Amino acid sequence: MSYQAFENLRQHRTRLQNTIQLGSGIQLAAWRNDFDCVTQRSDHHTLSLYVDAGFNTWHKTRTGWQNGGGPDRFCLMPENSESTWDIRSEFSFVHLYCTNVHLRQLAEQIWDKSPSALSLDERIFAEDERITQLYRHFLLSCDWQQPANHLMLSSASSLLMTHILQHYSEVLWKLPAVRGGLAPAILRNIVAFIEANLACSLTLAELALQAGLSEFHFARMFKQSLKLAPHQYVMQRRMVRADQLVRHTLQPLTEIALACGFNSSSHFSNRFKSVYGITPSALRR
């Protein structure tokens, strides 16, 4: 789908650095901008995360222009809210776009009941340690275009939206407790599905669908069963498969990279070395 805030920025000086649409209905976009004036009004929610600089980003208020941006600050712009920005020096930021329909579905899946009303609070130049942790550790730490990273990106995005729901909306319900892991038959099917699709771009939504669960409940129950988050387990299996193929076949390394979900040989080599302490080519020699 197309998000208005994304399309609007493309009409300005803003330079798109990276973007990805995740299967769960969320889009991420990394931007740089400078010396620009932008007015945003969208039919969706936008979470804006300041990555680098931003001190000279000014927001128009009823009492005049105010600034307060900087690394790790965030702005939450609910659907149908209007905001005007004057960017007076270069800075970089990440946007997460999400519709209210998806947000409501997420709330219903987590709590198994529908909130009577659902709207987000506007936040400008705010700080939140949990949001900073999630986007610094997950969204900024990997190559978005690598299929092997899509599960981690979709998991982190889901955690971000769950946190937003809990702390910046009328939904004040506590997160439900995890009472057990996945049923043995479901766990076997999920493990088999993962093994058969290590070459593919997996997302949390796809795995949850295989289990017949919401993303939230699947992620928690999976971790309860295997003591690893889904993205950690899948990456572990990719590396085990890669090690077996490097050691025991004559398959070219580029083909092994693709078979394990990496469309870049250098990214595959770096990940392999971080796990095994040696590059695939050195191990082959």
Side-chain angles (χ1 to χ4, degrees):
M1 67 174 294
S2 178
Y3 288 92
Q4 289 180 352
F6 179 86
E7 297 301 332
N8 183 39
L9 285 180
R10 299 192 80 172
Q11 306 305 312
H12 289 77
R13 286 179 52 85
T14 325
R15 300 176 297 284
L16 182 65
Q17 306 295 298
N18 208 346
T19 187
I20 181 172
Q21 286 210 3
L22 301 168
S24 55
I26 290 172
Q27 181 175 354
L28 297 174
W31 303 94
R32 292 192 73 84
N33 200 0
D34 56 16
F35 307 107
D36 201 358
C37 193
V38 179
T39 296
Q40 290 279 33
R41 182 178 177 86
S42 308
D43 59 356
H44 57 81
H45 306 298
T46 301
L47 174 62
S48 181
L49 308 159
Y50 284 54
V51 177
D52 180 53
F55 304 105
N56 261 330
T57 300
W58 296 74
H59 174 243
K60 189 176 184 180
T61 72
R62 292 173 182 171
T63 58
W65 292 94
Q66 295 181 355
N67 72 343
D72 298 337
R73 299 293 174 91
F74 77 92
C75 300
L76 181 59
M77 294 160 281
E79 66 169 358
N80 299 322
S81 63
E82 184 172 303
S83 56
T84 298
W85 307 86
D86 187 3
I87 296 105
R88 303 177 189 178
S89 63
E90 188 174 24
F91 81 118
S92 61
F93 56 101
V94 169
H95 272 180
L96 186 156
Y97 308 117
C98 172
T99 66
N100 204 57
V101 170
H102 176 67
L103 199 65
R104 178 174 287 277
Q105 288 174 344
L106 183 62
E108 291 172 350
Q109 289 171 355
I110 292 171
W111 288 284
D112 199 25
K113 56 182 177 180
S114 179
S116 56
L118 181 56
S119 61
L120 297 183
D121 305 327
E122 185 177 75
R123 289 287 189 275
I124 303 296
F125 304 137
E127 294 181 277
D128 186 311
E129 288 185 5
R130 179 59 173 161
I131 289 176
T132 298
Q133 177 194 39
L134 286 170
Y135 93 88
R136 285 279 177 191
H137 185 68
F138 294 105
L139 303 189
L140 301 186
S141 68
C142 68
D143 181 349
W144 292 3
Q145 301 311 315
Q146 289 300 321
N149 293 330
H150 291 175
L151 180 55
M152 180 172 70
L153 288 169
S154 63
S155 298
S157 298
S158 182
L159 287 173
L160 272 170
M161 296 314 301
T162 301
H163 183 81
I164 292 295
L165 267 173
Q166 271 197 290
H167 297 277
Y168 302 100
S169 77
E170 309 96 326
V171 180
L172 299 176
W173 305 324
K174 291 183 178 180
L175 290 177
V178 177
R179 293 184 174 82
L182 297 170
I186 292 176
L187 182 60
R188 285 195 298 272
N189 289 339
I190 290 296
V191 167
F193 179 81
I194 289 170
E195 291 296 320
N197 290 278
L198 290 177
C200 303
S201 168
L202 295 171
T203 65
L204 189 62
E206 289 171 322
L207 295 183
L209 182 64
Q210 293 294 319
L213 295 167
S214 71
E215 294 175 39
F216 175 84
H217 288 98
F218 169 76
R220 289 198 157 196
M221 293 168 73
F222 185 97
K223 188 170 184 178
Q224 188 85 352
S225 293
L226 295 180
K227 310 307 176 189
L228 290 171
H231 72 272
Q232 293 172 322
Y233 175 82
V234 171
M235 186 57 76
Q236 182 186 82
R237 297 308 305 161
R238 292 186 198 277
M239 289 295 96
V240 169
R241 171 76 59 83
D243 183 58
Q244 292 171 343
L245 292 174
V246 170
R247 290 177 182 274
H248 304 300
T249 75
L250 296 177
Q251 203 171 342
L253 294 180
T254 52
E255 290 183 10
I256 293 176
L258 291 171
C260 297
F262 298 90
N263 59 17
S264 160
S265 295
S266 62
H267 184 72
F268 166 64
S269 180
N270 290 337
R271 173 68 70 167
F272 192 95
K273 185 176 181 180
S274 72
V275 174
Y276 295 111
I278 188 173
T279 64
S281 56
L283 182 59
R284 271 273 171 92
R285 291 196 296 268

